[in-house]
Amino acid sequence: MAVFGTADAKVLMPRNIADGMIKESKSLSTVARLSGREPMRFGEVDYITFNDFPKMEYVEEGGNKSSSSTGFGAVTAKPHKGQVTLRFSNEVEWADEDYQLNVLREVADAGQVALSRGLDLGLFHRINPLSGSVITGWDNYVTATTKRVEQATADADDDFRAAVGLLVGASKQVNGAAIDPKFAWALANLKRRDGSGDTSDLRYPQLGFGTNVTDFMGVPTAQGDTVSGVPEAPDTGVRAIVGDFRNGIRWGVQRELPVEIIRYGDPDGQGDLKRKNQIALRLEIVYGWYVFTDRFAVVEDKVA
């Protein structure tokens, strides 16, 4: 079977490539490392919520049973469509199937990074990765939380504790933290103190140089520069995001991963394809998510 059909506008990514792409995307995204993806149909998805937890009642033998006062609400996970468009010489259409499969692997390799970073940037900050600008029409994203800690001390671990304290004090769970490399470096460089001040001993020697932190103070941790939004966008100043990653984020992939073959026109503003003897391959994905923003707190740079 030919990979690039002469008439088909879209080809499905071979399953072994697509599965590997999703797997690798999950390992690159801080959101995916801390919060499990779930099956999600296309379009807006409603989730039922309790406005108050129902309470059990002990009933004596022969006693009357009472109802537990509670209320129901609903939140909606909305679809967010992303795409990556790559250009190749149109000679790939003349090549054999093995070569065309290699081209799809190139698309997958480039796409998995773009799609995983796009999930973080959109869900954390509502940033459009290609332009670096904020999508003002989106109102549901993690850093919209009002629980914020401004870095005010030289001790990054104190700021981390303060952020956790904002959630614990509000009876929220803390089961994950996404941290920026700058924050990881600050934690790794903290020195242990004694009665006369700082010593030469590292406070958290298990962090090494802070290059691959997976756990801090018993909290599962994922490290990545999407926490601060760079390099796609100007630094947001966010250095750490802590909170309920298991239940505070509901997200999934709502569509398969077809590759669209574009042979005509100027699909990405880089010039006419026919004139340049090129074809474009476009990979699209639809994420859906809802964030309970009150279940998260951020540590951010002190505003000058």
Side-chain angles (χ1 to χ4, degrees):
M1 179 185 293
V3 180
F4 293 168
T6 57
D8 295 336
K10 290 188 177 183
V11 293
L12 281 179
M13 184 81 77
R15 177 55 55 190
N16 63 322
I17 298 178
D19 288 347
M21 182 179 177
I22 291 296
K23 181 178 179 181
E24 184 66 19
S25 294
K26 289 185 69 174
S27 71
L28 293 170
S29 165
T30 56
V31 170
R33 276 180 277 168
L34 295 169
S35 177
R37 169 190 168 193
E38 60 186 67
M40 191 177 286
R41 60 179 172 80
F42 179 70
E44 295 187 353
V45 180
D46 293 331
Y47 292 101
I48 302 300
T49 61
F50 283 110
N51 295 332
D52 188 18
F53 286 109
K55 300 177 180 64
M56 186 192 77
E57 177 188 31
Y58 287 110
V59 182
E60 298 295 336
E61 186 174 353
N64 295 324
K65 303 179 181 69
S66 304
S67 63
S68 178
S69 61
T70 187
F72 294 97
V75 296
T76 302
K78 295 183 178 180
H80 302 286
K81 185 177 184 179
Q83 67 88 23
V84 179
T85 301
L86 301 171
R87 287 181 174 233
F88 293 87
S89 167
N90 60 6
E91 294 177 5
V92 301
E93 289 199 281
W94 312 336
D96 62 27
E97 184 172 333
D98 286 342
Y99 185 80
Q100 291 181 1
L101 281 172
N102 284 333
V103 170
L104 288 182
R105 289 190 181 95
E106 287 187 46
V107 174
D109 288 343
Q112 67 194 17
V113 176
L115 296 177
S116 62
R117 293 184 66 83
L119 175 62
D120 283 9
L121 292 167
L123 198 150
F124 281 157
H125 309 291
R126 62 172 180 172
I127 288 173
N128 186 335
L130 185 59
S131 66
S133 58
V134 169
I135 304 172
T136 55
W138 292 6
D139 57 4
N140 183 248
Y141 55 101
V142 171
T143 55
T145 180
T146 59
K147 296 180 174 65
R148 314 185 81 85
V149 172
E150 191 176 75
Q151 287 187 297
T153 71
D155 292 338
D157 56 351
D158 283 345
D159 298 324
F160 189 90
R161 287 189 187 91
V164 171
L166 290 177
L167 295 166
V168 173
S171 300
K172 306 297 183 184
Q173 295 185 46
V174 177
N175 48 46
I179 62 174
D180 183 74
K182 303 179 194 69
F183 194 77
W185 176 251
L187 291 173
N189 275 284
L190 289 173
K191 301 296 194 300
R192 187 175 57 81
R193 291 196 182 102
D194 60 18
S196 58
D198 285 343
T199 69
S200 60
D201 296 333
L202 292 173
R203 197 178 301 178
Y204 304 104
Q206 73 276 13
L207 299 184
F209 289 110
T211 55
N212 188 27
V213 181
T214 58
D215 180 277
F216 184 65
M217 292 187 175
V219 178
T221 303
Q223 183 178 323
D225 55 13
T226 52
V227 173
S228 60
V230 296
E232 287 88 348
D235 194 334
T236 62
V238 176
R239 296 294 172 255
I241 301 169
V242 300
D244 186 3
F245 278 87
R246 292 178 194 164
N247 305 299
I249 296 174
R250 309 295 293 270
W251 75 277
V253 175
Q254 295 192 351
R255 267 295 180 262
E256 292 289 342
L257 298 171
V259 177
E260 182 180 4
I261 307 170
I262 307 173
R263 298 181 173 89
Y264 306 98
D266 183 8
D268 54 3
Q270 301 300 311
D272 183 75
L273 290 169
K274 280 294 186 182
R275 184 179 184 186
K276 293 179 175 291
N277 296 312
Q278 293 177 328
I279 63 170
L281 300 182
R282 176 168 289 163
L283 177 69
E284 294 185 337
I285 193 167
V286 180
Y287 288 121
W289 70 68
Y290 185 84
V291 177
F292 295 87
T293 54
D294 63 331
R295 302 185 190 184
F296 293 90
V298 302
V299 177
E300 56 192 345
D301 265 349
K302 187 174 183 179
V303 178

